[in-house]
Amino acid sequence: MASDDDAPRPRRRLHKLRRAVRARRERIRRNPTLNMTYRVALGGFGTLILILGIIAIPYPGPGWLIVFAGLGILATEFHWAHRVNMFTRRHYHRWVSWLGRQHWTVKLGIAALTGIIVVVTLWLLGMYATIGNWLGVRWPWLASPCSVTENGVVEFSMSPGTAAPGD
């Protein structure tokens, strides 16, 4: 078996970095207040990354990668997150494997459904009206049926582009 000195240089640096990170984490763990602060901060950050990943799943790009990164961050401190991460990865790989065995029409249907989800979400968020305004196009059907009031309440209107009574 090769000694640590025989290992390639980048590998030694990575090993050294891991040891330093573990030592620092152990120092934090010894102080209860600092440990709780660390866990809360890491939990908040990991949860934020996880939520962003879940939002990004139907869109083109690395949605699932972001989900796994968020769960990985949480799993460094929380055992339940490790179990959820393993469960999610297992079922994600099963889904990809199943989808790979399907006829092209099934794949096309799933791609179309994903596209519809993206289009509807962008419409609900008001992105089409925003881009239309940038280009000088003010078609009422581009406006989202959702609006946020001054109090932060989301309201839905069945006729987009019309003003609510009292406006």
Side-chain angles (χ1 to χ4, degrees), residues 19-95:
R19 270 191 296 182
V21 168
R22 284 187 186 129
R24 177 177 219 141
R25 181 62 187 111
E26 286 306 316
R27 282 193 304 274
I28 291 171
R29 222 176 242 126
R30 282 187 227 120
N31 181 337
T33 305
L34 191 56
N35 187 44
M36 182 58 73
T37 304
Y38 177 85
R39 287 176 61 99
V40 168
L42 189 116
F45 180 67
T47 301
L48 177 66
I49 299 298
L50 178 61
I51 290 169
L52 290 173
I54 291 170
I55 291 169
I57 287 172
Y59 297 98
W64 280 108
L65 181 63
I66 298 169
V67 167
F68 294 136
L71 285 170
I73 291 168
L74 290 169
T76 62
E77 286 298 314
F78 306 105
H79 185 64
W80 63 264
H82 178 71
R83 289 193 317 267
V84 171
N85 198 5
M86 292 299 104
F87 173 84
T88 306
R89 283 184 186 193
R90 184 172 58 251
H91 288 285
Y92 171 77
H93 289 299
R94 284 181 60 203
W95 163 257

Side-chain angles (χ1 to χ4, degrees), residues 118-134 142-144:
V118 170
V119 167
V120 169
T121 307
L122 291 174
W123 177 61
L124 289 173
L125 292 173
M127 292 308 300
Y128 298 126
T130 301
I131 293 170
N133 286 336
W134 292 345
L142 289 176
S144 170

